[in-house]
Amino acid sequence: AEQALRESEERFRVVVEGTDNLITRVDDQGRLLYVNPVARRIFGLEPEQCLGRLAFDFIHPDDRETTQEAFGRWVAEKRAGADIENRQISATGQVRHLSWNIRLHYGEDGGLVSVDSIAQDITERRLSEEALREERERLATIIDTSSDLMFLKDPELRYLAANAAHKEALGIDPKAMQY
C-alpha cells in the first residue's frame, strides 16, 4: 500500500510540476501555500519565494479590484468553482495574461478553507488579438478616409459596408447609413 501511494504521489508530482500551466493553492486568507515551477515564468520568483505571499499581490493593479470583487462574490455565494481572466505582474514587471480555473473548498462550518487554481498563460493570444484589432482599426480608417468609393455587398446585392466617400456619392449622410 505504501509503495502504491508513493507511485501515485510521484505520478501526481510529475504532472503538476511538468505542466505549462500555473498551479496554485492558497489558504482562506489568500496566502500562497503551493505554486508549481511555472511560478518562475509567471511571477519571476522561485516557487519557495512565493509561499506566504498574498496571491492578489501578483495581480496587475488595473485588474486587482475586479478580481477581488469577483472572488468575494464567489465566496459569499459558496461557489465550488469559477473561471476568470486577468493579468499578472511579475517581480520583474513582466505582464502575463492568464485564464484561471478556480476551485474553492469549504469546511463543515461553511467557511472557506482553501482555493486551488490552474491558470493557462494566454499572453500570446491576447497580444495577437490586440494586434489584429489595431490592424482592423487602421484598415477601417484608411478605407473610410479614402476619396475612392468603396463598398461591400452580399450575394443578394445588399450593402454590408461602404466608406464615407461612397455614402456621400449616394447622397446619404455617411453617419446615417447603418448596417
Side-chain angles (χ1 to χ4, degrees):
E2 288 181 26
Q3 177 66 22
L5 179 60
R6 278 193 298 275
E7 289 173 1
S8 175
E9 288 174 349
E10 178 62 16
R11 283 192 303 273
F12 174 76
R13 186 189 64 72
V14 167
V15 169
V16 169
E17 292 183 3
T19 183
D20 288 336
N21 294 327
L22 177 65
I23 298 176
T24 68
R25 173 171 272 188
V26 299
D27 65 14
D28 62 328
Q29 300 300 306
R31 297 201 179 281
L32 288 161
L33 300 171
Y34 173 82
V35 293
N36 70 343
V38 176
R40 291 181 193 105
R41 181 169 42 90
I42 303 298
F43 299 142
L45 298 170
E46 290 299 317
E48 304 78 35
Q49 294 174 296
C50 299
L51 302 182
R53 290 179 164 215
L54 289 173
F56 288 116
D57 289 349
F58 291 104
I59 298 173
H60 190 283
D62 294 344
D63 295 348
R64 193 171 295 144
E65 185 177 336
T66 56
T67 301
Q68 288 174 316
E69 288 172 359
F71 187 79
R73 273 194 317 277
W74 303 334
V75 173
E77 296 169 359
K78 300 284 189 254
R79 280 208 195 164
D83 297 313
I84 192 169
E85 290 184 10
N86 61 25
R87 291 170 291 172
Q88 302 287 302
I89 189 160
S90 74
T92 60
Q94 183 181 30
V95 176
R96 308 296 302 171
H97 295 257
L98 298 181
S99 177
W100 294 88
N101 179 265
I102 300 167
R103 294 289 165 247
L104 298 94
H105 306 285
Y106 303 92
E108 289 183 17
D109 66 352
L112 183 67
V113 175
S114 65
V115 179
D116 294 327
S117 305
I118 299 175
Q120 182 179 22
D121 186 347
I122 59 169
T123 303
E124 296 307 316
R125 182 175 76 189
R126 284 286 176 251
L127 294 175
S128 295
E129 289 170 352
E130 178 65 18
L132 181 59
R133 185 190 61 74
E134 289 173 1
E135 183 64 25
R136 284 181 176 161
E137 287 176 3
R138 192 169 79 236
L139 183 58
T141 299
I142 291 169
I143 290 171
D144 208 45
T145 58
S146 172
S147 60
D148 293 329
L149 306 181
M150 297 182 202
F151 61 92
L152 177 64
K153 289 186 176 185
D154 67 13
E156 286 79 37
L157 302 179
R158 292 178 295 216
Y159 279 98
L160 298 175
N163 70 345
H166 185 77
K167 292 173 189 176
E168 288 173 11
L170 293 176
I172 299 171
D173 178 1
K175 293 179 186 118
M177 192 174 186
Q178 301 295 318
Y179 303 100

